[in-house]
PDB file of all heavy atoms in Angstrom:
ATOM      1  N   PHE A   7     -59.862 -26.400 -13.560  1.00 98.00           N
ATOM      2  CA  PHE A   7     -58.573 -26.603 -14.212  1.00 98.00           C
ATOM      3  C   PHE A   7     -57.535 -26.397 -13.124  1.00 98.00           C
ATOM      4  O   PHE A   7     -57.499 -25.338 -12.487  1.00 98.00           O
ATOM      5  CB  PHE A   7     -58.360 -25.610 -15.360  1.00 98.00           C
ATOM      6  CG  PHE A   7     -57.077 -25.861 -16.089  1.00 98.00           C
ATOM      7  CD1 PHE A   7     -56.966 -26.916 -16.972  1.00 98.00           C
ATOM      8  CD2 PHE A   7     -55.970 -25.066 -15.855  1.00 98.00           C
ATOM      9  CE1 PHE A   7     -55.770 -27.170 -17.634  1.00 98.00           C
ATOM     10  CE2 PHE A   7     -54.772 -25.311 -16.510  1.00 98.00           C
ATOM     11  CZ  PHE A   7     -54.676 -26.364 -17.410  1.00 98.00           C
ATOM     12  N   VAL A   8     -56.732 -27.430 -12.870  1.00 98.00           N
ATOM     13  CA  VAL A   8     -55.782 -27.397 -11.756  1.00 98.00           C
ATOM     14  C   VAL A   8     -54.381 -27.680 -12.282  1.00 98.00           C
ATOM     15  O   VAL A   8     -54.186 -28.608 -13.071  1.00 98.00           O
ATOM     16  CB  VAL A   8     -56.151 -28.441 -10.673  1.00 98.00           C
ATOM     17  CG1 VAL A   8     -55.224 -28.330  -9.474  1.00 98.00           C
ATOM     18  CG2 VAL A   8     -57.609 -28.308 -10.265  1.00 98.00           C
ATOM     19  N   ARG A   9     -53.429 -26.868 -11.853  1.00 98.00           N
ATOM     20  CA  ARG A   9     -52.028 -27.075 -12.191  1.00 98.00           C
ATOM     21  C   ARG A   9     -51.259 -27.422 -10.918  1.00 98.00           C
ATOM     22  O   ARG A   9     -51.327 -26.688  -9.935  1.00 98.00           O
ATOM     23  CB  ARG A   9     -51.442 -25.810 -12.821  1.00 98.00           C
ATOM     24  CG  ARG A   9     -51.955 -25.563 -14.223  1.00 98.00           C
ATOM     25  CD  ARG A   9     -51.634 -24.155 -14.710  1.00 98.00           C
ATOM     26  NE  ARG A   9     -52.206 -23.101 -13.876  1.00 98.00           N
ATOM     27  CZ  ARG A   9     -53.491 -22.706 -13.922  1.00 98.00           C
ATOM     28  NH1 ARG A   9     -54.340 -23.291 -14.715  1.00 98.00           N
ATOM     29  NH2 ARG A   9     -53.923 -21.745 -13.150  1.00 98.00           N
ATOM     30  N   PHE A  10     -50.562 -28.542 -10.981  1.00 98.00           N
ATOM     31  CA  PHE A  10     -49.728 -28.980  -9.872  1.00 98.00           C
ATOM     32  C   PHE A  10     -48.273 -28.975 -10.315  1.00 98.00           C
ATOM     33  O   PHE A  10     -47.966 -29.380 -11.439  1.00 98.00           O
ATOM     34  CB  PHE A  10     -50.072 -30.414  -9.445  1.00 98.00           C
ATOM     35  CG  PHE A  10     -51.436 -30.577  -8.854  1.00 98.00           C
ATOM     36  CD1 PHE A  10     -52.409 -31.293  -9.519  1.00 98.00           C
ATOM     37  CD2 PHE A  10     -51.756 -30.021  -7.623  1.00 98.00           C
ATOM     38  CE1 PHE A  10     -53.668 -31.473  -8.972  1.00 98.00           C
ATOM     39  CE2 PHE A  10     -53.015 -30.190  -7.061  1.00 98.00           C
ATOM     40  CZ  PHE A  10     -53.968 -30.916  -7.751  1.00 98.00           C
ATOM     41  N   THR A  11     -47.385 -28.548  -9.427  1.00 98.00           N
ATOM     42  CA  THR A  11     -45.954 -28.665  -9.660  1.00 98.00           C
ATOM     43  C   THR A  11     -45.389 -29.577  -8.585  1.00 98.00           C
ATOM     44  O   THR A  11     -45.547 -29.310  -7.382  1.00 98.00           O
ATOM     45  CB  THR A  11     -45.258 -27.290  -9.609  1.00 98.00           C
ATOM     46  OG1 THR A  11     -45.880 -26.433 -10.582  1.00 98.00           O
ATOM     47  CG2 THR A  11     -43.765 -27.420  -9.909  1.00 98.00           C
ATOM     48  N   CYS A  12     -44.745 -30.656  -9.025  1.00 98.00           N
ATOM     49  CA  CYS A  12     -44.157 -31.622  -8.093  1.00 98.00           C
ATOM     50  C   CYS A  12     -42.783 -31.140  -7.624  1.00 98.00           C
ATOM     51  O   CYS A  12     -42.130 -30.336  -8.296  1.00 98.00           O
ATOM     52  CB  CYS A  12     -44.039 -32.985  -8.774  1.00 98.00           C
ATOM     53  SG  CYS A  12     -45.634 -33.680  -9.252  1.00 98.00           S
ATOM     54  N   LYS A  13     -42.365 -31.624  -6.474  1.00 98.00           N
ATOM     55  CA  LYS A  13     -41.110 -31.175  -5.865  1.00 98.00           C
ATOM     56  C   LYS A  13     -39.881 -31.610  -6.659  1.00 98.00           C
ATOM     57  O   LYS A  13     -38.904 -30.869  -6.751  1.00 98.00           O
ATOM     58  CB  LYS A  13     -41.007 -31.711  -4.440  1.00 98.00           C
ATOM     59  CG  LYS A  13     -42.026 -31.097  -3.506  1.00 98.00           C
ATOM     60  CD  LYS A  13     -41.926 -31.701  -2.118  1.00 98.00           C
ATOM     61  CE  LYS A  13     -42.954 -31.063  -1.190  1.00 98.00           C
ATOM     62  NZ  LYS A  13     -42.928 -31.657   0.147  1.00 98.00           N
ATOM     63  N   ASP A  14     -39.910 -32.845  -7.168  1.00 98.00           N
ATOM     64  CA  ASP A  14     -38.775 -33.387  -7.920  1.00 98.00           C
ATOM     65  C   ASP A  14     -39.278 -34.608  -8.697  1.00 98.00           C
ATOM     66  O   ASP A  14     -40.469 -34.927  -8.646  1.00 98.00           O
ATOM     67  CB  ASP A  14     -37.610 -33.754  -6.991  1.00 98.00           C
ATOM     68  CG  ASP A  14     -38.015 -34.685  -5.848  1.00 98.00           C
ATOM     69  OD1 ASP A  14     -38.897 -35.558  -6.046  1.00 98.00           O
ATOM     70  OD2 ASP A  14     -37.444 -34.542  -4.754  1.00 98.00           O
ATOM     71  N   GLU A  15     -38.383 -35.278  -9.418  1.00 98.00           N
ATOM     72  CA  GLU A  15     -38.802 -36.407 -10.254  1.00 98.00           C
ATOM     73  C   GLU A  15     -39.379 -37.555  -9.433  1.00 98.00           C
ATOM     74  O   GLU A  15     -40.354 -38.188  -9.854  1.00 98.00           O
ATOM     75  CB  GLU A  15     -37.643 -36.882 -11.120  1.00 98.00           C
ATOM     76  CG  GLU A  15     -37.309 -35.906 -12.235  1.00 98.00           C
ATOM     77  CD  GLU A  15     -36.211 -36.407 -13.139  1.00 98.00           C
ATOM     78  OE1 GLU A  15     -35.974 -37.626 -13.193  1.00 98.00           O
ATOM     79  OE2 GLU A  15     -35.595 -35.566 -13.813  1.00 98.00           O
ATOM     80  N   ALA A  16     -38.778 -37.851  -8.286  1.00 98.00           N
ATOM     81  CA  ALA A  16     -39.304 -38.924  -7.440  1.00 98.00           C
ATOM     82  C   ALA A  16     -40.712 -38.581  -6.952  1.00 98.00           C
ATOM     83  O   ALA A  16     -41.603 -39.443  -6.935  1.00 98.00           O
ATOM     84  CB  ALA A  16     -38.376 -39.178  -6.257  1.00 98.00           C
ATOM     85  N   ALA A  17     -40.919 -37.332  -6.584  1.00 98.00           N
ATOM     86  CA  ALA A  17     -42.242 -36.893  -6.147  1.00 98.00           C
ATOM     87  C   ALA A  17     -43.244 -36.971  -7.300  1.00 98.00           C
ATOM     88  O   ALA A  17     -44.399 -37.361  -7.101  1.00 98.00           O
ATOM     89  CB  ALA A  17     -42.173 -35.473  -5.584  1.00 98.00           C
ATOM     90  N   ALA A  18     -42.807 -36.631  -8.511  1.00 98.00           N
ATOM     91  CA  ALA A  18     -43.694 -36.700  -9.673  1.00 98.00           C
ATOM     92  C   ALA A  18     -44.130 -38.143  -9.935  1.00 98.00           C
ATOM     93  O   ALA A  18     -45.305 -38.396 -10.223  1.00 98.00           O
ATOM     94  CB  ALA A  18     -43.001 -36.115 -10.901  1.00 98.00           C
ATOM     95  N   THR A  19     -43.205 -39.080  -9.807  1.00 98.00           N
ATOM     96  CA  THR A  19     -43.544 -40.491 -10.000  1.00 98.00           C
ATOM     97  C   THR A  19     -44.552 -40.956  -8.947  1.00 98.00           C
ATOM     98  O   THR A  19     -45.557 -41.602  -9.272  1.00 98.00           O
ATOM     99  CB  THR A  19     -42.270 -41.360  -9.942  1.00 98.00           C
ATOM    100  OG1 THR A  19     -41.412 -40.957 -11.018  1.00 98.00           O
ATOM    101  CG2 THR A  19     -42.594 -42.833 -10.062  1.00 98.00           C
ATOM    102  N   ALA A  20     -44.320 -40.612  -7.704  1.00 98.00           N
ATOM    103  CA  ALA A  20     -45.236 -40.993  -6.623  1.00 98.00           C
ATOM    104  C   ALA A  20     -46.593 -40.314  -6.798  1.00 98.00           C
ATOM    105  O   ALA A  20     -47.647 -40.933  -6.571  1.00 98.00           O
ATOM    106  CB  ALA A  20     -44.632 -40.648  -5.268  1.00 98.00           C
ATOM    107  N   PHE A  21     -46.595 -39.053  -7.220  1.00 98.00           N
ATOM    108  CA  PHE A  21     -47.841 -38.336  -7.455  1.00 98.00           C
ATOM    109  C   PHE A  21     -48.634 -39.008  -8.578  1.00 98.00           C
ATOM    110  O   PHE A  21     -49.843 -39.209  -8.461  1.00 98.00           O
ATOM    111  CB  PHE A  21     -47.554 -36.874  -7.794  1.00 98.00           C
ATOM    112  CG  PHE A  21     -48.779 -36.042  -8.010  1.00 98.00           C
ATOM    113  CD1 PHE A  21     -49.620 -35.720  -6.956  1.00 98.00           C
ATOM    114  CD2 PHE A  21     -49.105 -35.581  -9.277  1.00 98.00           C
ATOM    115  CE1 PHE A  21     -50.758 -34.946  -7.147  1.00 98.00           C
ATOM    116  CE2 PHE A  21     -50.232 -34.803  -9.483  1.00 98.00           C
ATOM    117  CZ  PHE A  21     -51.067 -34.492  -8.420  1.00 98.00           C
ATOM    118  N   ASP A  22     -47.961 -39.395  -9.655  1.00 98.00           N
ATOM    119  CA  ASP A  22     -48.635 -40.070 -10.762  1.00 98.00           C
ATOM    120  C   ASP A  22     -49.273 -41.384 -10.304  1.00 98.00           C
ATOM    121  O   ASP A  22     -50.373 -41.738 -10.737  1.00 98.00           O
ATOM    122  CB  ASP A  22     -47.664 -40.329 -11.907  1.00 98.00           C
ATOM    123  CG  ASP A  22     -47.241 -39.057 -12.626  1.00 98.00           C
ATOM    124  OD1 ASP A  22     -47.915 -38.010 -12.476  1.00 98.00           O
ATOM    125  OD2 ASP A  22     -46.222 -39.113 -13.349  1.00 98.00           O
ATOM    126  N   GLU A  23     -48.596 -42.103  -9.421  1.00 98.00           N
ATOM    127  CA  GLU A  23     -49.162 -43.350  -8.884  1.00 98.00           C
ATOM    128  C   GLU A  23     -50.398 -43.065  -8.039  1.00 98.00           C
ATOM    129  O   GLU A  23     -51.409 -43.779  -8.140  1.00 98.00           O
ATOM    130  CB  GLU A  23     -48.099 -44.097  -8.078  1.00 98.00           C
ATOM    131  CG  GLU A  23     -46.988 -44.637  -8.943  1.00 98.00           C
ATOM    132  CD  GLU A  23     -45.786 -45.128  -8.159  1.00 98.00           C
ATOM    133  OE1 GLU A  23     -45.794 -45.074  -6.901  1.00 98.00           O
ATOM    134  OE2 GLU A  23     -44.809 -45.558  -8.806  1.00 98.00           O
ATOM    135  N   LEU A  24     -50.345 -42.026  -7.221  1.00 98.00           N
ATOM    136  CA  LEU A  24     -51.497 -41.622  -6.416  1.00 98.00           C
ATOM    137  C   LEU A  24     -52.666 -41.234  -7.321  1.00 98.00           C
ATOM    138  O   LEU A  24     -53.817 -41.628  -7.086  1.00 98.00           O
ATOM    139  CB  LEU A  24     -51.116 -40.454  -5.505  1.00 98.00           C
ATOM    140  CG  LEU A  24     -52.237 -39.800  -4.708  1.00 98.00           C
ATOM    141  CD1 LEU A  24     -52.856 -40.788  -3.725  1.00 98.00           C
ATOM    142  CD2 LEU A  24     -51.712 -38.561  -3.990  1.00 98.00           C
ATOM    143  N   VAL A  25     -52.376 -40.481  -8.372  1.00 98.00           N
ATOM    144  CA  VAL A  25     -53.407 -40.057  -9.322  1.00 98.00           C
ATOM    145  C   VAL A  25     -54.046 -41.279  -9.985  1.00 98.00           C
ATOM    146  O   VAL A  25     -55.271 -41.348 -10.118  1.00 98.00           O
ATOM    147  CB  VAL A  25     -52.802 -39.102 -10.375  1.00 98.00           C
ATOM    148  CG1 VAL A  25     -53.748 -38.881 -11.539  1.00 98.00           C
ATOM    149  CG2 VAL A  25     -52.425 -37.776  -9.724  1.00 98.00           C
ATOM    150  N   ALA A  26     -53.246 -42.247 -10.385  1.00 98.00           N
ATOM    151  CA  ALA A  26     -53.777 -43.448 -11.045  1.00 98.00           C
ATOM    152  C   ALA A  26     -54.705 -44.220 -10.112  1.00 98.00           C
ATOM    153  O   ALA A  26     -55.799 -44.644 -10.528  1.00 98.00           O
ATOM    154  CB  ALA A  26     -52.625 -44.336 -11.523  1.00 98.00           C
ATOM    155  N   ARG A  27     -54.301 -44.402  -8.865  1.00 97.00           N
ATOM    156  CA  ARG A  27     -55.145 -45.122  -7.898  1.00 97.00           C
ATOM    157  C   ARG A  27     -56.464 -44.390  -7.672  1.00 97.00           C
ATOM    158  O   ARG A  27     -57.534 -44.989  -7.638  1.00 97.00           O
ATOM    159  CB  ARG A  27     -54.420 -45.291  -6.559  1.00 97.00           C
ATOM    160  CG  ARG A  27     -53.297 -46.284  -6.579  1.00 97.00           C
ATOM    161  CD  ARG A  27     -52.813 -46.612  -5.163  1.00 97.00           C
ATOM    162  NE  ARG A  27     -52.544 -45.456  -4.326  1.00 97.00           N
ATOM    163  CZ  ARG A  27     -51.377 -44.816  -4.241  1.00 97.00           C
ATOM    164  NH1 ARG A  27     -50.351 -45.210  -4.976  1.00 97.00           N
ATOM    165  NH2 ARG A  27     -51.233 -43.800  -3.414  1.00 97.00           N
ATOM    166  N   THR A  28     -56.369 -43.086  -7.519  1.00 98.00           N
ATOM    167  CA  THR A  28     -57.567 -42.282  -7.277  1.00 98.00           C
ATOM    168  C   THR A  28     -58.466 -42.282  -8.508  1.00 98.00           C
ATOM    169  O   THR A  28     -59.692 -42.393  -8.390  1.00 98.00           O
ATOM    170  CB  THR A  28     -57.181 -40.851  -6.877  1.00 98.00           C
ATOM    171  OG1 THR A  28     -56.269 -40.904  -5.772  1.00 98.00           O
ATOM    172  CG2 THR A  28     -58.403 -40.032  -6.494  1.00 98.00           C
ATOM    173  N   GLY A  29     -57.878 -42.175  -9.674  1.00 97.00           N
ATOM    174  CA  GLY A  29     -58.642 -42.166 -10.915  1.00 97.00           C
ATOM    175  C   GLY A  29     -59.465 -43.428 -11.112  1.00 97.00           C
ATOM    176  O   GLY A  29     -60.595 -43.371 -11.611  1.00 97.00           O
ATOM    177  N   GLU A  30     -58.915 -44.573 -10.716  1.00 98.00           N
ATOM    178  CA  GLU A  30     -59.672 -45.827 -10.799  1.00 98.00           C
ATOM    179  C   GLU A  30     -60.956 -45.739  -9.979  1.00 98.00           C
ATOM    180  O   GLU A  30     -62.020 -46.173 -10.424  1.00 98.00           O
ATOM    181  CB  GLU A  30     -58.816 -46.995 -10.298  1.00 98.00           C
ATOM    182  CG  GLU A  30     -57.676 -47.353 -11.206  1.00 98.00           C
ATOM    183  CD  GLU A  30     -56.761 -48.407 -10.606  1.00 98.00           C
ATOM    184  OE1 GLU A  30     -57.109 -49.000  -9.559  1.00 98.00           O
ATOM    185  OE2 GLU A  30     -55.691 -48.633 -11.191  1.00 98.00           O
ATOM    186  N   GLN A  31     -60.865 -45.185  -8.791  1.00 98.00           N
ATOM    187  CA  GLN A  31     -62.031 -45.046  -7.921  1.00 98.00           C
ATOM    188  C   GLN A  31     -63.044 -44.050  -8.499  1.00 98.00           C
ATOM    189  O   GLN A  31     -64.254 -44.278  -8.434  1.00 98.00           O
ATOM    190  CB  GLN A  31     -61.601 -44.601  -6.525  1.00 98.00           C
ATOM    191  CG  GLN A  31     -60.782 -45.621  -5.781  1.00 98.00           C
ATOM    192  CD  GLN A  31     -61.608 -46.848  -5.463  1.00 98.00           C
ATOM    193  OE1 GLN A  31     -62.760 -46.754  -5.061  1.00 98.00           O
ATOM    194  NE2 GLN A  31     -61.028 -48.013  -5.672  1.00 98.00           N
ATOM    195  N   ILE A  32     -62.551 -42.972  -9.057  1.00 98.00           N
ATOM    196  CA  ILE A  32     -63.438 -41.972  -9.648  1.00 98.00           C
ATOM    197  C   ILE A  32     -64.218 -42.583 -10.805  1.00 98.00           C
ATOM    198  O   ILE A  32     -65.440 -42.430 -10.897  1.00 98.00           O
ATOM    199  CB  ILE A  32     -62.632 -40.731 -10.095  1.00 98.00           C
ATOM    200  CG1 ILE A  32     -62.097 -39.993  -8.858  1.00 98.00           C
ATOM    201  CG2 ILE A  32     -63.477 -39.810 -10.969  1.00 98.00           C
ATOM    202  CD1 ILE A  32     -61.061 -38.939  -9.165  1.00 98.00           C
ATOM    203  N   ARG A  33     -63.517 -43.303 -11.706  1.00 97.00           N
ATOM    204  CA  ARG A  33     -64.193 -43.939 -12.844  1.00 97.00           C
ATOM    205  C   ARG A  33     -65.243 -44.943 -12.379  1.00 97.00           C
ATOM    206  O   ARG A  33     -66.320 -45.028 -12.968  1.00 97.00           O
ATOM    207  CB  ARG A  33     -63.170 -44.627 -13.753  1.00 97.00           C
ATOM    208  CG  ARG A  33     -62.410 -43.652 -14.635  1.00 97.00           C
ATOM    209  CD  ARG A  33     -61.536 -44.372 -15.649  1.00 97.00           C
ATOM    210  NE  ARG A  33     -60.475 -45.176 -15.052  1.00 97.00           N
ATOM    211  CZ  ARG A  33     -59.323 -44.694 -14.614  1.00 97.00           C
ATOM    212  NH1 ARG A  33     -59.069 -43.405 -14.677  1.00 97.00           N
ATOM    213  NH2 ARG A  33     -58.417 -45.499 -14.104  1.00 97.00           N
ATOM    214  N   ALA A  34     -64.964 -45.673 -11.331  1.00 98.00           N
ATOM    215  CA  ALA A  34     -65.861 -46.733 -10.873  1.00 98.00           C
ATOM    216  C   ALA A  34     -67.057 -46.223 -10.070  1.00 98.00           C
ATOM    217  O   ALA A  34     -68.101 -46.879 -10.043  1.00 98.00           O
ATOM    218  CB  ALA A  34     -65.076 -47.743 -10.033  1.00 98.00           C
ATOM    219  N   ASN A  35     -66.926 -45.059  -9.435  1.00 98.00           N
ATOM    220  CA  ASN A  35     -67.918 -44.666  -8.429  1.00 98.00           C
ATOM    221  C   ASN A  35     -68.584 -43.314  -8.628  1.00 98.00           C
ATOM    222  O   ASN A  35     -69.388 -42.919  -7.781  1.00 98.00           O
ATOM    223  CB  ASN A  35     -67.251 -44.669  -7.046  1.00 98.00           C
ATOM    224  CG  ASN A  35     -66.755 -46.038  -6.669  1.00 98.00           C
ATOM    225  OD1 ASN A  35     -67.521 -46.979  -6.588  1.00 98.00           O
ATOM    226  ND2 ASN A  35     -65.455 -46.165  -6.460  1.00 98.00           N
ATOM    227  N   GLU A  36     -68.276 -42.602  -9.695  1.00 98.00           N
ATOM    228  CA  GLU A  36     -68.786 -41.234  -9.809  1.00 98.00           C
ATOM    229  C   GLU A  36     -69.449 -40.968 -11.164  1.00 98.00           C
ATOM    230  O   GLU A  36     -68.837 -40.390 -12.061  1.00 98.00           O
ATOM    231  CB  GLU A  36     -67.651 -40.231  -9.584  1.00 98.00           C
ATOM    232  CG  GLU A  36     -67.060 -40.300  -8.201  1.00 98.00           C
ATOM    233  CD  GLU A  36     -66.013 -39.238  -7.959  1.00 98.00           C
ATOM    234  OE1 GLU A  36     -66.046 -38.175  -8.612  1.00 98.00           O
ATOM    235  OE2 GLU A  36     -65.144 -39.482  -7.101  1.00 98.00           O
ATOM    236  N   PRO A  37     -70.710 -41.337 -11.309  1.00 97.00           N
ATOM    237  CA  PRO A  37     -71.390 -41.069 -12.583  1.00 97.00           C
ATOM    238  C   PRO A  37     -71.541 -39.579 -12.876  1.00 97.00           C
ATOM    239  O   PRO A  37     -71.651 -39.189 -14.045  1.00 97.00           O
ATOM    240  CB  PRO A  37     -72.750 -41.746 -12.417  1.00 97.00           C
ATOM    241  CG  PRO A  37     -72.940 -41.890 -10.940  1.00 97.00           C
ATOM    242  CD  PRO A  37     -71.565 -42.036 -10.351  1.00 97.00           C
ATOM    243  N   GLY A  38     -71.506 -38.733 -11.868  1.00 97.00           N
ATOM    244  CA  GLY A  38     -71.631 -37.292 -12.063  1.00 97.00           C
ATOM    245  C   GLY A  38     -70.339 -36.609 -12.460  1.00 97.00           C
ATOM    246  O   GLY A  38     -70.333 -35.427 -12.794  1.00 97.00           O
ATOM    247  N   THR A  39     -69.229 -37.353 -12.440  1.00 97.00           N
ATOM    248  CA  THR A  39     -67.958 -36.826 -12.918  1.00 97.00           C
ATOM    249  C   THR A  39     -67.869 -37.171 -14.399  1.00 97.00           C
ATOM    250  O   THR A  39     -67.691 -38.323 -14.772  1.00 97.00           O
ATOM    251  CB  THR A  39     -66.772 -37.429 -12.136  1.00 97.00           C
ATOM    252  OG1 THR A  39     -66.939 -37.095 -10.753  1.00 97.00           O
ATOM    253  CG2 THR A  39     -65.446 -36.885 -12.636  1.00 97.00           C
ATOM    254  N   VAL A  40     -68.021 -36.151 -15.235  1.00 95.00           N
ATOM    255  CA  VAL A  40     -68.091 -36.342 -16.680  1.00 95.00           C
ATOM    256  C   VAL A  40     -66.699 -36.555 -17.268  1.00 95.00           C
ATOM    257  O   VAL A  40     -66.483 -37.455 -18.079  1.00 95.00           O
ATOM    258  CB  VAL A  40     -68.788 -35.133 -17.340  1.00 95.00           C
ATOM    259  CG1 VAL A  40     -68.853 -35.276 -18.848  1.00 95.00           C
ATOM    260  CG2 VAL A  40     -70.180 -34.935 -16.751  1.00 95.00           C
ATOM    261  N   ILE A  41     -65.754 -35.717 -16.864  1.00 95.00           N
ATOM    262  CA  ILE A  41     -64.364 -35.812 -17.324  1.00 95.00           C
ATOM    263  C   ILE A  41     -63.454 -35.584 -16.120  1.00 95.00           C
ATOM    264  O   ILE A  41     -63.650 -34.649 -15.351  1.00 95.00           O
ATOM    265  CB  ILE A  41     -64.044 -34.757 -18.401  1.00 95.00           C
ATOM    266  CG1 ILE A  41     -64.885 -34.989 -19.653  1.00 95.00           C
ATOM    267  CG2 ILE A  41     -62.543 -34.764 -18.740  1.00 95.00           C
ATOM    268  CD1 ILE A  41     -64.758 -33.881 -20.681  1.00 95.00           C
ATOM    269  N   TYR A  42     -62.455 -36.454 -15.994  1.00 96.00           N
ATOM    270  CA  TYR A  42     -61.409 -36.270 -14.991  1.00 96.00           C
ATOM    271  C   TYR A  42     -60.113 -36.666 -15.687  1.00 96.00           C
ATOM    272  O   TYR A  42     -59.729 -37.828 -15.712  1.00 96.00           O
ATOM    273  CB  TYR A  42     -61.673 -37.144 -13.758  1.00 96.00           C
ATOM    274  CG  TYR A  42     -60.820 -36.798 -12.569  1.00 96.00           C
ATOM    275  CD1 TYR A  42     -61.243 -35.855 -11.651  1.00 96.00           C
ATOM    276  CD2 TYR A  42     -59.589 -37.416 -12.373  1.00 96.00           C
ATOM    277  CE1 TYR A  42     -60.457 -35.527 -10.553  1.00 96.00           C
ATOM    278  CE2 TYR A  42     -58.804 -37.094 -11.272  1.00 96.00           C
ATOM    279  CZ  TYR A  42     -59.245 -36.156 -10.371  1.00 96.00           C
ATOM    280  OH  TYR A  42     -58.460 -35.833  -9.276  1.00 96.00           O
ATOM    281  N   ALA A  43     -59.499 -35.703 -16.334  1.00 97.00           N
ATOM    282  CA  ALA A  43     -58.332 -35.966 -17.176  1.00 97.00           C
ATOM    283  C   ALA A  43     -57.093 -35.328 -16.569  1.00 97.00           C
ATOM    284  O   ALA A  43     -57.137 -34.180 -16.118  1.00 97.00           O
ATOM    285  CB  ALA A  43     -58.568 -35.409 -18.575  1.00 97.00           C
ATOM    286  N   VAL A  44     -56.002 -36.089 -16.587  1.00 97.00           N
ATOM    287  CA  VAL A  44     -54.735 -35.625 -16.040  1.00 97.00           C
ATOM    288  C   VAL A  44     -53.694 -35.662 -17.159  1.00 97.00           C
ATOM    289  O   VAL A  44     -53.600 -36.648 -17.890  1.00 97.00           O
ATOM    290  CB  VAL A  44     -54.284 -36.519 -14.867  1.00 97.00           C
ATOM    291  CG1 VAL A  44     -52.979 -36.023 -14.274  1.00 97.00           C
ATOM    292  CG2 VAL A  44     -55.371 -36.602 -13.817  1.00 97.00           C
ATOM    293  N   HIS A  45     -52.920 -34.584 -17.267  1.00 97.00           N
ATOM    294  CA  HIS A  45     -51.939 -34.461 -18.335  1.00 97.00           C
ATOM    295  C   HIS A  45     -50.574 -34.102 -17.766  1.00 97.00           C
ATOM    296  O   HIS A  45     -50.482 -33.317 -16.817  1.00 97.00           O
ATOM    297  CB  HIS A  45     -52.334 -33.340 -19.306  1.00 97.00           C
ATOM    298  CG  HIS A  45     -53.693 -33.492 -19.876  1.00 97.00           C
ATOM    299  ND1 HIS A  45     -53.941 -34.168 -21.038  1.00 97.00           N
ATOM    300  CD2 HIS A  45     -54.899 -33.062 -19.426  1.00 97.00           C
ATOM    301  CE1 HIS A  45     -55.227 -34.146 -21.303  1.00 97.00           C
ATOM    302  NE2 HIS A  45     -55.841 -33.485 -20.337  1.00 97.00           N
ATOM    303  N   ARG A  46     -49.513 -34.641 -18.374  1.00 96.00           N
ATOM    304  CA  ARG A  46     -48.176 -34.106 -18.159  1.00 96.00           C
ATOM    305  C   ARG A  46     -48.060 -32.888 -19.063  1.00 96.00           C
ATOM    306  O   ARG A  46     -48.642 -32.858 -20.143  1.00 96.00           O
ATOM    307  CB  ARG A  46     -47.123 -35.145 -18.543  1.00 96.00           C
ATOM    308  CG  ARG A  46     -47.031 -36.289 -17.564  1.00 96.00           C
ATOM    309  CD  ARG A  46     -45.852 -37.202 -17.917  1.00 96.00           C
ATOM    310  NE  ARG A  46     -45.795 -38.290 -16.981  1.00 96.00           N
ATOM    311  CZ  ARG A  46     -46.354 -39.493 -17.186  1.00 96.00           C
ATOM    312  NH1 ARG A  46     -46.999 -39.734 -18.309  1.00 96.00           N
ATOM    313  NH2 ARG A  46     -46.270 -40.426 -16.272  1.00 96.00           N
ATOM    314  N   VAL A  47     -47.299 -31.908 -18.632  1.00 97.00           N
ATOM    315  CA  VAL A  47     -47.139 -30.683 -19.409  1.00 97.00           C
ATOM    316  C   VAL A  47     -45.851 -30.788 -20.221  1.00 97.00           C
ATOM    317  O   VAL A  47     -44.763 -30.953 -19.656  1.00 97.00           O
ATOM    318  CB  VAL A  47     -47.132 -29.436 -18.484  1.00 97.00           C
ATOM    319  CG1 VAL A  47     -46.938 -28.172 -19.303  1.00 97.00           C
ATOM    320  CG2 VAL A  47     -48.426 -29.379 -17.677  1.00 97.00           C
ATOM    321  N   ASP A  48     -45.986 -30.702 -21.526  1.00 97.00           N
ATOM    322  CA  ASP A  48     -44.842 -30.816 -22.433  1.00 97.00           C
ATOM    323  C   ASP A  48     -43.771 -29.784 -22.079  1.00 97.00           C
ATOM    324  O   ASP A  48     -44.064 -28.588 -21.941  1.00 97.00           O
ATOM    325  CB  ASP A  48     -45.318 -30.618 -23.875  1.00 97.00           C
ATOM    326  CG  ASP A  48     -44.238 -30.928 -24.892  1.00 97.00           C
ATOM    327  OD1 ASP A  48     -43.420 -31.839 -24.650  1.00 97.00           O
ATOM    328  OD2 ASP A  48     -44.214 -30.242 -25.933  1.00 97.00           O
TER     329      ASP A  48
END
């Protein structure tokens, strides 16, 4: 369980884009990764 705090809104947007790109690769290439879920914190 990992908590990240972004520097500012622009950084949060860029981080979300990085997460999306990486997540595509994880889904396509990692059968041993059962869950890889990312959430914004309300």
Side-chain angles (χ1 to χ4, degrees):
F7 183 76
V8 184
R9 288 166 300 281
F10 294 112
T11 303
C12 298
K13 292 178 180 178
D14 53 35
E15 288 183 22
T19 298
F21 182 70
D22 290 343
E23 292 168 1
L24 173 63
V25 168
R27 288 192 311 271
T28 307
E30 290 174 10
Q31 294 294 317
I32 292 168
R33 283 187 297 279
N35 298 300
E36 297 184 26
T39 300
V40 179
I41 296 172
Y42 193 89
V44 181
H45 305 270
R46 288 187 181 95
V47 179
D48 189 34

